[in-house]
Amino acid sequence: MAQVARLADEDDFDGWRVAARTLASRRILPSDVLWQVGATPQDLFAATLTEVAAAAPQFAVPRSFVELARSAICHSDPERFSLLYSMLLRIRANSRALEDRADPLVQRLERMTKEVRRDIHKMHAFVRFRELEDEGGTRYVAWFEPEHHIVRASAGFFVRRFAGMRWSILTPELSIHWDGETLLEGPAATRADAPDRDPVEETWKTYYASIFNPARLKVKAMTKEMPKKYWKNMPETALVGELISGAQAREARMVETSQAKSATAQAETAKPSIGDNVRAAWEAVRQEAMGCTRCDLYKCGTQTVFGEGPVDAKIMFVGEQPGDQEDLAGKPFIGPAGQLLDRALGEAGVDRSQTYVTNAVKHFKFEQRGKRRIHSKPNGSEIDACRWWIEQERVLIRPPITVALGATAARSLFGKPVTISAMRGRAHTVSDGGEGWVTVHPSFLLRVRDNREEEYARFVDDLRVIGERAKALA
Ligand code: URA
């Protein structure tokens, strides 16, 4: 006879766990269980399950399964409860069952967790609040339509990020409300419940139009990262359709202009007006990057280490990836390599505080050896995944000069592997028309045994030439 297992909510992991443990202890087959969501007055079976669970023999499952189940339960696939229960039974028979990556069930569950993670990232990145006044004062209200049951799983991010504001996020499944102290849940909402426009919106639109560069337009990449279904909630994308349709003409005009002007002058012409809204947009991008899961490196580092410096910097320095100290502090180039860079910049007459310093890869990749975390080089796909962020930093800052420190940064800047010795000492034009320079990474100077003094002097010379070039361009 089929058993009904009733869960309180679509993402009720605790309820699923209790029910699954009970069913497993009774040796009930997955095909004999009917999973249902939502309490009803005849909710007799749920009570029975809880009772039996308390008496049922406990069995341990690997932590990785708990994490996977917690995430997969948020998926919209109606079979998720049953699939997870099947997996639980397999793990009960073989505690290493989850390690079998060739198993179609493992693959399916992993795919589901990936989709859930991605949806959470989208929610973090694409929720846009509109300002309104209610009886308690200003409240920021957003409408969002996630693909999976991720609202509760995403809530902590918004609480941390907007701790001091009063806000509500309305979705078709439930609404969540923060009053500065408590997170409350409310019923499902409709788009009509959310305000449509607010005064900040016009600023965003003007800003977005001013930074829009048709030569950089990659519709496929843009729609992949920012699916169309989210556009309608994002003021800055209200102009995207119009901008795309005018892009070819604009691009042709840009090409004509670039033939008449030097590449550097062109980069200056395309530069957005620098002001508070650039800083605000930069901050929004930085916050989005904090939740990045574009590659697996987010799993090992402590945090995303984003770039730092004035948004109107004339020089952008790009390193490889944060090191141990940067990972802990959340700031680029503060460890030994950063200190060497500071010293060399000082000798070259370049003021670091006037430059923007960032990395090609924003998470620390390392191998744990005892207590030490040993730097490990990012691979091509990690560099490529992280180009999304550095491209956004570059779109916002538009540095006339970008300096790649070492091969990883150069690969990221030029979009392909390059040889430092062949590129060093002169300017190269990068995709936005600015100048790209290549030199060694300061950690190379910490490692090198032969001719260390000479190598360091050469590095300082490179920086001096770059500093002078920046002054000339200004
Ligand atoms: N090395 C880098 O490339 N970047 C840092 O931020 C620190 C060390």
Side-chain angles (χ1 to χ4, degrees):
M1 193 184 74
Q3 300 263 22
V4 176
R6 214 178 283 282
L7 305 177
D9 296 295
E10 295 283 1
D11 58 348
D12 179 9
F13 172 72
D14 293 334
W16 175 85
R17 183 152 63 172
V18 170
R21 219 188 264 158
T22 308
L23 293 162
S25 72
R26 289 181 178 182
R27 304 192 180 283
I28 293 175
L29 295 175
S31 53
D32 286 340
V33 187
L34 205 57
W35 295 91
Q36 289 186 356
V37 176
T40 67
Q42 306 84 16
D43 198 3
L44 302 176
F45 191 75
T48 317
L49 279 179
T50 318
E51 235 170 67
V52 176
Q58 300 278 323
F59 57 95
V61 293
R63 201 183 165 76
S64 53
F65 176 66
V66 178
E67 277 167 24
L68 175 132
R70 222 181 253 290
S71 170
I73 212 121
C74 300
H75 201 277
S76 54
D77 186 335
E79 285 186 53
R80 64 195 181 284
F81 306 120
S82 175
L83 294 173
L84 285 168
Y85 179 53
S86 300
M87 193 70 231
L88 178 77
L89 294 184
R90 273 189 213 181
I91 288 175
R92 206 179 176 200
N94 165 18
S95 63
R96 304 188 62 177
L98 201 54
E99 289 167 34
D100 182 2
R101 297 285 144 102
D103 179 343
L105 177 59
V106 174
Q107 289 179 355
R108 184 162 168 193
L109 288 170
E110 282 187 342
R111 207 169 39 245
M112 284 161 70
T113 61
K114 210 165 160 193
E115 284 162 6
V116 165
R117 270 208 312 272
R118 197 164 171 74
D119 205 30
I120 292 177
H121 173 63
K122 295 269 182 270
M123 180 160 175
H124 291 170
F126 300 140
V127 157
R128 290 291 181 269
F129 290 99
R130 267 81 167 166
E131 191 177 336
L132 58 78
E133 295 299 318
D134 65 14
E135 61 288 352
T138 305
R139 175 172 286 276
Y140 295 88
V141 182
W143 166 249
F144 193 74
E145 290 166 80
E147 282 174 34
H148 303 289
H149 307 289
I150 52 139
V151 178
R152 291 187 190 90
S154 298
F157 169 87
F158 294 98
V159 168
R160 284 190 299 279
R161 180 165 160 187
F162 303 114
M165 290 159 52
R166 298 169 68 243
W167 53 259
S168 298
I169 302 177
L170 313 182
T171 81
E173 194 166 304
L174 77 155
S175 49
I176 51 173
H177 310 272
W178 175 251
D179 63 4
E181 279 176 9
T182 319
L183 188 69
L184 296 173
E185 269 184 32
T190 67
R191 169 179 257 287
D193 297 326
D196 217 17
R197 309 176 61 79
D198 77 11
V200 184
E201 214 158 281
E202 289 312 314
T203 321
W204 271 98
K205 281 188 188 171
T206 316
Y207 168 70
Y208 195 72
S210 81
I211 66 162
F212 188 85
N213 178 348
R216 303 173 69 98
L217 182 62
K218 296 187 189 105
V219 178
K220 219 169 131 202
M222 188 159 82
T223 47
K224 179 167 166 261
E225 290 310 324
M226 197 190 284
K228 272 199 169 147
K229 80 175 258 224
Y230 299 115
W231 288 15
K232 54 188 185 296
N233 304 324
M234 301 174 68
E236 67 271 36
T237 53
L239 296 181
V240 166
E242 194 186 304
L243 291 167
I244 290 175
S245 58
Q248 274 190 324
R250 284 164 58 104
E251 184 165 351
R253 274 204 305 281
M254 277 183 66
V255 172
E256 263 169 42
T257 320
S258 70
Q259 282 163 352
K261 292 180 179 182
S262 76
T264 313
Q266 184 211 342
E268 279 297 307
T269 314
K271 201 172 167 105
S273 60
I274 304 295
D276 289 349
N277 49 0
V278 179
R279 175 55 72 178
W282 175 86
E283 182 54 35
V285 172
R286 195 184 79 83
Q287 289 289 353
E288 279 172 34
M290 293 300 135
C292 180
T293 54
R294 295 178 61 79
C295 73
D296 280 349
L297 291 186
Y298 78 94
K299 291 182 187 163
C300 54
T302 308
Q303 56 191 313
T304 304
V305 179
F306 207 65
E308 177 177 273
V311 291
D312 59 351
K314 300 290 177 277
I315 306 178
M316 174 185 279
F317 285 104
V318 184
E320 182 194 71
Q321 61 166 351
D324 183 65
Q325 295 190 29
E326 289 80 8
D327 170 69
L328 297 174
K331 292 163 94 53
F333 279 106
I334 55 154
Q339 286 156 23
L340 189 82
L341 176 65
D342 286 350
R343 193 177 120 209
L345 285 171
E347 287 176 32
V350 178
D351 180 355
R352 172 169 168 172
S353 70
Q354 297 302 307
T355 69
Y356 186 87
V357 178
T358 191
N359 281 300
V361 172
K362 309 277 192 253
H363 276 106
F364 179 35
K365 181 175 178 185
F366 60 91
E367 274 173 34
Q368 191 79 46
R369 286 206 209 128
K371 286 198 177 146
R372 295 186 63 208
R373 304 193 298 170
I374 309 295
H375 163 277
S376 162
K377 214 172 165 49
N379 63 34
S381 67
E382 289 153 354
I383 298 169
D384 291 343
C386 222
R387 281 184 82 200
W388 168 253
W389 297 116
I390 194 145
E391 284 286 310
Q392 300 214 40
E393 289 175 292
R394 293 180 50 69
V395 165
L396 289 165
I397 293 164
R398 294 290 170 107
I401 292 183
T402 305
V403 185
L405 300 168
T408 299
R411 180 194 162 131
S412 169
L413 183 62
F414 295 102
K416 56 179 188 208
V418 298
T419 314
I420 297 184
S421 54
M423 309 271 292
R424 193 169 178 180
R426 64 205 153 87
H428 306 267
T429 304
V430 289
S431 57
D432 62 3
E435 287 186 4
W437 293 69
V438 177
T439 185
V440 292
H441 192 284
S443 61
F444 160 75
L445 301 168
L446 292 170
R447 278 194 319 267
V448 73
R449 287 179 191 280
D450 300 331
N451 309 325
R452 181 178 283 194
E453 294 294 304
E454 279 158 49
E455 291 290 357
Y456 176 74
R458 222 180 137 197
F459 181 57
V460 174
D461 277 349
D462 283 351
L463 297 179
R464 187 174 297 117
V465 170
I466 290 164
E468 279 160 14
R469 178 73 184 140
K471 281 190 199 135
L473 291 177

